Amino acid sequence: MSEKTECLHKVRACKESLVEWLEKNPAVLLRWLHDAGALSQPRYFSLLESRPERNQVISLLEIMLKNEDSCRTFLHVLQQVQDHYCLELRNWLRNTFPVYYKQPTDAIDLEKPQKKSPWKKILNGMKRGKKYNLEKGGQASGAPGDRLQSEGQTSRAPDEHPPLDDILQNHKQSQLKHTVKIQGKLETSHSWCEMLEIRYTELFITDEDPAGLQKDQHEYLVLANRRARIYEHNKHQKINITDILTPLEPGSQGLKTVLMTGIAGIGKTYAVQRIMHEWAIGKAFNHVSCAINFAFREINLLGEPISLLELIKQKHAHLKTVAETLCSNPEGLLVLLDGLDEFKHSISQGTKVQSFKDPAPIKDLVSSLLNGSLLKGAFIVVTSRPRPSLPLDCFDRKVVILGFGDKQVKEFCFRFFRQDTLSEEVFHYIMKNDTLSGLSFIPLYCFIICTALGPFFQGKMEESCLDMPPETMTEVYRSYLCTILHLRDDSSKDDEEPIILCSQAILSKMKDSLYQLGKLAYISLLERKIIFTSDDLRRFGFDPSQLPDSFFHRVFVNIDEQSSTEMFVFFHMTIQEFFAALYCVVSISSSAEELLQCLDLWCFGISPKEPSQSELLATTIKLMTAKQWESLQMFSRFVMGLLSFRIEGKLCGLVDPFSQDILVPLTNWFQGKISYEVNKRLLNLLHCLRELRQEAVVKVVAPEIDEVDLFKVILNPADCATLSYILKHSTCRLKTLNLGYTNIGIEGLRQMQPLLYRCQTLYLRYNSLCKEAAEMEADVLKSPTCQVKSLLMCGNSIGSEGIQCLWEALRYNQTLEELYVDINGITDSGLKNLLPCLTHNKTLRLLTIVGNKLSDEGKEVLLELQRRLPSLKILSSFMGDMGVLQAYLDWVEELKVNPQQMESVKNVDALCRVLSELKKEDPAEKPPALKERAAELEREIRLLLQSSSETGR
């Protein structure tokens, strides 16, 4: 029998020893076997969840030692990860299978990881300084760690230190134990696991500057809108987390510094953990010899000057003996700095530090790391929430984390519930609800949503409870709160006990804690404070030890339980906003005056001339800053939702219900505001009205809305759903619906289609709409209930097929007077049905079709239409009308004011199309003023395109 056919026998004979060797670090072997296809994902997850870790190894060996083929796969993978295990295992592999690895096998074809250390000169230097015995013959074989003798054979003196390779392997194992678990487990949900490998799903990251940051608007809304733009135009390339140090183009100069931005809960800290985990497990960043990480929450605690060397030693004690060597040769060092936005110091004016041995204030160390004067040549990765003050010039690459796509949301649901049918039901419920799907791209929102929905889909709701699964954002967070309040830390309790939402007894029991926690949340929200000490908590009347265990990791989180200084944060920023809103709704008296004055402050920043005698109002007036209301949009929506709960008596146990009479002044308040507000303020009011979910209020307010101006307000699906929800309660005619530059997309337009019939003037300009949008609008125009008089579809991509649909609709339409289809990619073929469709139209008075791809033949068709319909004004040339030229000059000015619009490739294409058409124009016999204005337009477009190109570089 050949050696290759004896693998199974030999491995089984050493089974007990293998268990001993592998049980200290089975995660590495499990991951490599999973990636090799030897373990399915469910089986891989099941093994990771087994405790103790010895059981993981025992179960794994039972799986892998069933037959010869699986045993060979096991040995191949084990040989590749042997550096992560003890010397006895490595010697056993080499001595037991000396020939096996020299011959090819058909069992599996795996790429072997790099074995050469990028720090060869360091290793050589250390070897010259210390003497280590080699194996017989002085020949080193296998991985670097194999060159050492076993512990019983070494002649190392007692005061000698282990070699660098051994120390780095210990560092990797230490990091694996640190990153293998993350917070978030619900004890009563056995399907949820704390393992990073199980919880983590791939994030969508794009390589772009975090430009266009809006300081005062809620960061979720900024990203939701920006994300819609990025996905719609498909401009930015997706980058895997393991490729953030890899240039996009082969042969490009290597990247050394990377800034990774993302809003709260989007996965920045998990991304750092993942980088450390992937490096430590040997799956990525093989060009990095040592990775170290620091959280700004931790280094904020440093008061006295400290050297970088001492900082590394304090954070990673096991690197003490080699820290100086690592810092002296930083080319293979990766430093991860998590949470720059939480750093309490400004780094813009830090003093330069050049020696890692010199003590310095922590702000100077950080500043020097970023500008390259410290650890020059090291890889630096920094995470931060988006802030205008970020030192963008310090970084070779700026990436933005956009969170989950639909595929990752689906995977998250499975990883959370671990049951196919259940996870499918929850996922489909999320996807069909625009509010929930609009939240779910943020991983922590996904966790909150799944926690909130779980009891409804797992049959844990009491039969008498009439509550349906949550639909609005406030309902999701209320369900989340009630779910964690029902958790049982005592395992003897029945965790299948039904959950009764709004249980008065439970809310009453927790009343004081919820009130004080909410007060802390509200005041710190106005103060823009997110990190708290124990002293902060005591100032608000409670000690963290008073909170039930179920609150920790789900509501309030201790940043570092190992630290002597306790530091706390809310589980997510929206949890803080929800508790702040809960405090406010509980604190407001039954006085309508106080309520409306607070709403004016929260929604518009308007201070009352004669404020009511209210502690809540006085605190708000004192702490709110100018325009801070823009960052309170999510908070104000929570307030409205919780007001509804108080009106309906769902907060009994915390506060007495409001009388239904409060709805009258609340309705009047909405009526007074909504009739004249535009853009973001109007959209936020509509969201507040939807969160309130009081049909009596909506039915009175909705008919008051006869103009909706959302020009340049980027809309996501949840925004469109809110517009549709409110306006469907009114059958009144809409004078104007301005959706220009909203990036509404075909899905958003489809949601709003029932409203389009009632619009007199409909702006759909520059939304990258395609032929399908033209077909949809054609259906609107053909409808006998259509009231559209002006349709502006400039700057889209409906093309020739799309415009033919509109011509066909105008054969029947009796309302449309103005049609604008400039810059839509229309060619001559789009005019083939123009004459028969429009010849008998009696209402159309103006048609603008400039900036398309019409030849002289196509323009002849338009001239023939002009002869047949003298009352129809047709503008097909920029030089034909001063108003057209001025309109396009205004458009260029809009793009200059808002550079984000140039993210759209279609805007760039449109500008180039205008230039192309201007070149074709014959200025002969045109008035001087017209020629001058055309030349001005051409000049401004060229300057804008040049500026955009330079910004892109």
Side-chain angles (χ1 to χ4, degrees):
M1 183 180 294
S2 70
E3 184 170 4
K4 290 181 68 174
T5 60
E6 295 178 351
C7 293
L8 186 60
H9 171 73
K10 291 182 178 180
V11 175
R12 283 176 173 171
C14 197
K15 186 175 178 180
E16 290 299 320
S17 296
L18 283 170
V19 172
E20 297 295 328
W21 295 335
L22 297 173
E23 67 174 330
K24 293 181 181 179
N25 191 18
V28 176
L29 181 58
L30 291 174
R31 168 66 183 281
W32 280 70
L33 284 167
H34 168 263
D35 290 356
L39 296 174
S40 65
Q41 189 178 79
R43 177 165 279 178
Y44 174 52
F45 286 176
S46 177
L47 288 172
L48 283 175
E49 290 174 319
S50 298
R51 288 294 179 271
E53 292 178 328
R54 183 181 182 88
N55 289 347
Q56 297 180 17
V57 181
I58 293 172
S59 299
L60 174 66
L61 291 177
E62 289 177 357
I63 295 169
M64 301 308 300
L65 302 187
K66 286 184 177 180
N67 56 58
E68 191 70 31
D69 286 342
S70 61
C71 180
R72 290 180 187 178
T73 299
F74 170 75
L75 285 172
H76 268 281
V77 173
L78 185 59
Q79 187 268 344
Q80 293 179 81
V81 300
Q82 61 179 301
D83 290 354
H84 290 268
Y85 297 99
C86 63
L87 187 59
E88 287 85 355
L89 182 144
R90 300 200 293 267
N91 285 335
W92 172 77
L93 276 173
R94 185 170 52 250
N95 295 331
T96 308
F97 305 102
V99 179
Y100 183 80
Y101 297 106
K102 296 179 182 179
Q103 299 179 2
T105 179
D106 295 329
I108 189 168
D109 183 16
L110 296 175
E111 182 182 353
K112 294 185 179 181
Q114 299 176 4
K115 292 295 183 180
K116 294 182 179 179
S117 170
W119 288 358
K120 188 174 181 180
K121 60 180 182 179
I122 305 177
L123 289 170
N124 291 338
M126 292 193 72
K127 288 172 186 174
R128 285 192 295 270
K130 299 289 182 181
K131 293 183 179 180
Y132 298 101
N133 286 353
L134 298 175
E135 294 180 287
K136 292 181 180 180
Q139 299 296 319
S141 61
D146 290 339
R147 299 168 192 163
L148 303 178
Q149 292 182 324
S150 65
E151 196 172 309
Q153 298 169 316
T154 184
S155 60
R156 186 185 304 154
D159 62 339
E160 290 182 342
H161 300 300
L164 181 59
D165 268 6
D166 282 7
I167 293 174
L168 293 181
Q169 284 299 338
N170 289 337
H171 177 53
K172 287 181 178 182
Q173 292 184 23
S174 172
Q175 294 312 300
L176 283 177
K177 291 189 178 298
H178 181 73
T179 61
V180 74
K181 285 190 177 183
I182 55 177
Q183 295 172 344
K185 182 178 178 181
L186 296 176
E187 280 79 0
T188 58
S189 177
H190 298 302
S191 63
W192 182 252
C193 182
E194 290 178 306
M195 301 291 293
L196 178 68
E197 288 276 6
I198 296 178
R199 177 164 176 180
Y200 189 91
T201 55
E202 189 177 16
L203 300 169
F204 195 105
I205 305 176
T206 64
D207 186 12
E208 64 159 1
D209 287 346
L213 302 176
Q214 301 175 46
K215 182 177 181 181
D216 293 316
Q217 191 179 3
H218 194 285
E219 63 179 12
Y220 160 74
L221 301 176
V222 174
L223 180 62
N225 297 337
R226 185 172 179 75
R227 190 173 184 271
R229 187 195 301 272
I230 289 171
Y231 273 114
E232 180 70 23
H233 301 309
N234 197 28
K235 175 183 176 183
H236 303 287
Q237 180 173 345
K238 179 178 179 180
I239 298 176
N240 292 323
I241 188 68
T242 53
D243 294 329
I244 60 169
L245 293 173
T246 304
L248 289 179
E249 298 180 3
S252 301
Q253 186 176 358
L255 301 166
K256 286 294 184 178
T257 55
V258 176
L259 173 65
M260 190 185 306
T261 60
I263 68 172
I266 201 72
K268 300 183 298 296
T269 297
Y270 289 164
V272 168
Q273 289 180 304
R274 191 69 189 188
I275 291 171
M276 292 294 295
H277 188 79
E278 293 296 291
W279 168 76
I281 216 163
K283 277 297 183 177
F285 305 104
N286 290 328
H287 59 298
V288 170
S289 293
C290 184
I292 55 178
N293 66 309
F294 300 97
F296 281 97
R297 290 177 177 179
E298 298 171 344
I299 62 179
N300 275 337
L301 303 177
L302 298 171
E304 299 297 324
I306 188 173
S307 70
L308 180 62
L309 181 61
E310 286 302 316
L311 186 62
I312 294 174
K313 290 180 178 180
Q314 286 185 15
K315 172 67 176 180
H316 303 288
H318 45 275
L319 295 177
K320 281 185 177 180
T321 59
V322 297
E324 185 171 343
T325 302
L326 301 180
C327 292
S328 299
N329 302 270
E331 291 78 10
L333 191 61
L334 169 59
V335 181
L336 298 137
L337 302 170
D338 185 29
L340 179 59
D341 57 287
E342 297 176 356
F343 195 32
K344 65 182 181 181
H345 303 289
S346 171
I347 60 174
S348 58
Q349 298 178 339
T351 302
K352 184 178 291 187
V353 181
Q354 293 183 314
S355 173
F356 58 82
K357 296 180 181 180
D358 293 342
I362 190 62
K363 69 171 185 177
D364 295 340
L365 292 184
V366 173
S367 176
S368 299
L369 275 172
L370 296 186
N371 64 37
S373 59
L374 256 184
L375 298 186
K376 187 173 183 178
F379 301 100
I380 308 291
V381 175
V382 179
T383 72
S384 175
R385 285 164 66 181
R387 292 292 182 268
S389 59
L390 293 176
L392 300 181
D393 293 342
C394 294
F395 299 95
D396 301 326
R397 166 178 281 169
K398 279 78 70 173
V399 298
V400 177
I401 302 179
L402 298 180
F404 288 162
D406 291 351
K407 179 181 177 182
Q408 284 73 42
V409 174
K410 184 175 184 178
E411 185 178 3
F412 188 97
C413 290
F414 170 74
R415 290 169 182 245
F416 188 95
F417 294 107
R418 303 291 289 282
Q419 298 176 32
D420 289 336
T421 303
L422 176 59
S423 62
E424 283 285 339
E425 289 178 355
V426 172
F427 172 72
H428 287 304
Y429 183 81
I430 292 173
M431 288 297 105
K432 73 179 182 182
N433 183 299
D434 293 291
T435 298
L436 301 189
S437 62
L439 293 169
S440 63
F441 72 89
I442 298 176
L444 276 183
Y445 280 170
C446 256
F447 175 79
I448 291 169
I449 291 170
C450 287
T451 303
L453 293 178
F456 294 91
F457 287 89
Q458 291 170 315
K460 293 184 178 181
M461 296 301 300
E462 189 186 57
E463 291 183 4
S464 61
C465 183
L466 300 180
D467 284 322
M468 299 298 290
E471 295 181 359
T472 68
M473 185 175 64
T474 311
E475 289 172 348
V476 167
Y477 279 72
R478 164 180 164 261
S479 177
Y480 177 78
L481 173 63
C482 291
T483 299
I484 62 176
L485 286 178
H486 279 80
L487 292 178
R488 298 292 189 265
D489 294 316
D490 184 353
S491 59
S492 64
K493 297 284 186 180
D494 180 12
D495 66 352
E496 297 299 321
E497 179 182 336
I499 292 178
I500 310 172
L501 296 185
C502 308
S503 168
Q504 181 175 345
I506 290 181
L507 291 178
S508 179
K509 181 180 178 181
M510 292 294 299
K511 179 177 180 178
D512 291 340
S513 293
L514 293 174
Y515 180 85
Q516 299 296 351
L517 200 58
K519 187 175 183 180
L520 166 70
Y522 180 61
I523 291 178
S524 58
L525 181 66
L526 296 182
E527 294 176 338
R528 300 176 187 248
K529 185 174 182 179
I530 60 173
I531 302 177
F532 316 98
T533 64
S534 297
D535 290 339
D536 291 327
L537 303 189
R538 293 187 182 95
R539 278 198 295 272
F540 285 89
F542 68 94
D543 189 275
S545 62
Q546 295 176 352
L547 291 175
D549 290 342
S550 60
F551 263 49
F552 286 101
H553 306 325
R554 270 83 74 186
V555 172
F556 218 47
V557 181
N558 189 351
I559 293 175
D560 187 358
E561 296 179 355
Q562 307 300 319
S563 173
S564 58
T565 304
E566 289 187 313
M567 303 282 288
F568 299 90
V569 295
F570 282 93
F571 178 62
H572 187 260
M573 188 175 70
T574 50
I575 295 290
Q576 180 175 349
E577 291 168 315
F578 176 80
F579 271 87
L582 183 63
Y583 163 75
C584 291
V585 171
V586 168
S587 300
I588 290 176
S589 68
S590 57
S591 164
E593 179 186 16
E594 179 186 350
L595 171 61
L596 300 186
Q597 287 181 347
C598 284
L599 292 180
D600 278 343
L601 264 172
W602 293 328
C603 295
F604 305 105
I606 301 173
S607 296
K609 295 179 180 179
E610 297 180 3
S612 63
Q613 300 300 313
S614 159
E615 179 185 352
L616 174 63
L617 196 60
T619 300
T620 305
I621 294 172
K622 178 182 177 181
L623 295 178
M624 270 193 70
T625 59
K627 292 195 74 175
Q628 191 174 359
W629 60 270
E630 290 189 356
S631 62
L632 296 178
Q633 292 171 344
M634 294 284 278
F635 161 81
S636 63
R637 297 173 195 182
F638 279 134
V639 166
M640 286 297 177
L642 289 166
L643 277 176
S644 183
F645 291 155
R646 183 170 175 182
I647 292 169
E648 295 170 358
K650 293 181 179 180
L651 296 182
C652 287
L654 291 179
V655 65
D656 292 335
F658 274 138
S659 165
Q660 288 284 329
D661 295 341
I662 198 74
L663 291 178
V664 175
L666 197 56
T667 301
N668 294 335
W669 181 83
F670 271 110
Q671 282 182 296
K673 301 296 183 184
I674 218 160
S675 60
Y676 65 85
E677 289 297 347
V678 297
N679 297 341
K680 296 173 186 173
R681 290 189 180 199
L682 173 61
L683 185 61
N684 192 52
L685 273 175
L686 296 176
H687 274 288
C688 287
L689 199 54
R690 188 185 189 193
E691 288 291 327
L692 186 65
R693 286 177 73 85
Q694 293 292 322
E695 295 288 309
V697 178
V698 178
K699 287 179 179 178
V700 174
V701 174
E704 298 289 323
I705 306 172
D706 62 357
E707 292 190 23
V708 176
D709 186 355
L710 296 173
F711 181 59
K712 291 187 179 180
V713 178
I714 307 302
L715 301 179
N716 56 55
D719 297 327
C720 296
T722 294
L723 276 170
S724 181
Y725 168 79
I726 301 299
L727 295 178
K728 76 180 181 182
H729 286 80
S730 170
T731 57
C732 298
R733 180 180 61 192
L734 276 174
K735 293 179 182 177
T736 303
L737 178 59
N738 190 346
L739 302 176
Y741 287 104
T742 59
N743 206 77
I744 187 172
I746 193 64
E747 289 301 323
L749 191 64
R750 186 176 291 113
Q751 283 186 318
M752 300 190 61
Q753 187 173 7
L755 311 177
L756 305 183
Y757 300 87
R758 298 193 278 116
C759 303
Q760 280 191 311
T761 301
L762 177 58
Y763 291 86
L764 296 174
R765 300 185 301 153
Y766 299 98
N767 278 303
S768 301
L769 296 173
C770 59
K771 180 187 75 170
E772 188 177 350
E775 293 172 344
M776 193 181 303
E777 190 56 41
D779 289 339
V780 171
L781 293 175
K782 287 188 286 188
S783 169
T785 62
C786 176
Q787 302 180 41
V788 181
K789 292 184 177 182
S790 296
L791 175 60
L792 295 90
M793 295 194 72
C794 312
N796 288 297
S797 303
I798 64 173
S800 295
E801 293 184 38
I803 197 64
Q804 287 182 44
C805 295
L806 292 180
W807 302 147
E808 185 64 31
L810 290 176
R811 186 194 295 268
Y812 310 98
N813 178 269
Q814 299 297 318
T815 64
L816 194 67
E817 298 175 1
E818 299 177 349
L819 176 62
Y820 301 81
V821 287
D822 306 351
I823 316 179
N824 262 288
I826 300 168
T827 64
D828 290 354
S829 65
L831 305 182
K832 64 182 182 182
N833 65 335
L834 175 68
L835 294 175
C837 289
L838 264 64
T839 299
H840 303 291
N841 184 282
K842 303 299 183 183
T843 59
L844 195 64
R845 298 287 178 264
L846 174 65
L847 170 64
T848 74
I849 192 170
V850 302
N852 287 292
K853 303 174 181 179
L854 300 178
S855 68
D856 291 340
E857 289 78 5
K859 292 182 179 180
E860 279 297 325
V861 175
L862 294 175
L863 288 173
E864 176 61 26
L865 179 64
Q866 183 78 80
R867 286 190 288 268
R868 297 188 188 187
L869 294 176
S871 62
L872 175 61
K873 183 177 182 179
I874 301 176
L875 299 176
S876 60
S877 165
F878 286 104
M879 297 290 285
D881 186 85
M882 182 70 80
V884 171
L885 288 172
Q886 187 57 53
Y888 278 89
L889 275 169
D890 294 342
W891 174 53
V892 172
E893 286 300 313
E894 291 171 3
L895 293 175
K896 287 164 64 176
V897 171
N898 186 2
Q900 269 196 3
Q901 292 179 19
M902 290 300 289
E903 288 179 356
S904 169
V905 176
K906 298 188 185 301
N907 274 341
V908 176
D909 291 343
L911 288 168
C912 294
R913 169 55 52 185
V914 174
L915 279 181
S916 175
E917 291 298 310
L918 284 171
K919 287 180 182 179
K920 296 177 183 178
E921 301 279 357
D922 184 5
E925 300 181 2
K926 297 293 182 181
L930 204 62
K931 290 190 285 187
E932 182 180 340
R933 192 63 55 88
E936 181 185 358
L937 176 59
E938 182 176 353
R939 183 172 59 253
E940 291 297 324
I941 290 177
R942 291 188 185 281
L943 289 173
L944 180 57
L945 288 173
Q946 181 181 356
S947 173
S948 175
S949 176
E950 291 173 352
T951 302
R953 289 196 296 268

